[in-house]
Amino acid sequence: MINSTFITPLVSMPTVEQLGSKYINITPAGEKKDAGMSFAETLRGKIQEVKDLEQASLDSAYEVSMGQSEDIEGAMIDAAKASIAIETAVQLTTRAVNAYKEIVQMQI
């Protein structure tokens, strides 16, 4: 006999419009963002976030090296965050440039 507790009923997935109204205007931190934000403004903001992470990493490393702080783990975590953010930005830049080159080379 089949145990019915292992069978999960199928439910329909929400449409893009339903998801859009719920998730589109919310940042990962949970705060609302301006729906009219341009691509350039978004890009500028994300680059600034990468710079802020890098500066936080440098500040925490400086504090540890000068003996002002004993939070070596925090400095290592800040360095890892900055490193990942920089690597991600470089990868996205490379992919965007490659996509642009591919579009430019397309035959019309």
Side-chain angles (χ1 to χ4, degrees):
M1 178 162 241
I2 296 175
N3 188 352
S4 64
T5 58
F6 293 112
I7 299 174
T8 305
L10 296 176
V11 293
S12 64
M13 293 179 61
T15 63
V16 174
E17 290 82 17
Q18 291 169 339
L19 287 174
S21 63
K22 187 174 181 181
Y23 297 109
I24 263 324
N25 293 327
I26 299 176
T27 62
E31 66 259 0
K32 295 279 184 179
K33 69 176 184 178
D34 183 19
M37 212 168 171
S38 72
F39 177 76
E41 291 170 345
T42 303
L43 184 61
R44 196 173 297 120
K46 295 301 176 185
I47 290 173
Q48 186 60 45
E49 287 179 23
V50 172
K51 287 181 181 179
D52 293 342
L53 284 171
E54 184 180 13
Q55 189 60 45
S57 171
L58 291 173
D59 290 344
S60 61
Y62 177 78
E63 289 173 0
V64 168
S65 66
M66 296 303 289
Q68 298 171 353
S69 173
E70 294 183 11
D71 187 19
I72 295 173
E73 294 86 3
M76 299 272 300
I77 290 171
D78 288 344
K81 285 181 184 179
S83 174
I84 291 170
I86 291 169
E87 287 177 27
T88 303
V90 168
Q91 285 290 324
L92 289 174
T93 302
T94 302
R95 290 179 187 207
V97 168
N98 288 340
Y100 175 76
K101 286 179 181 178
E102 204 170 304
I103 291 170
V104 168
Q105 292 176 356
M106 282 184 181
Q107 299 280 334
I108 295 179

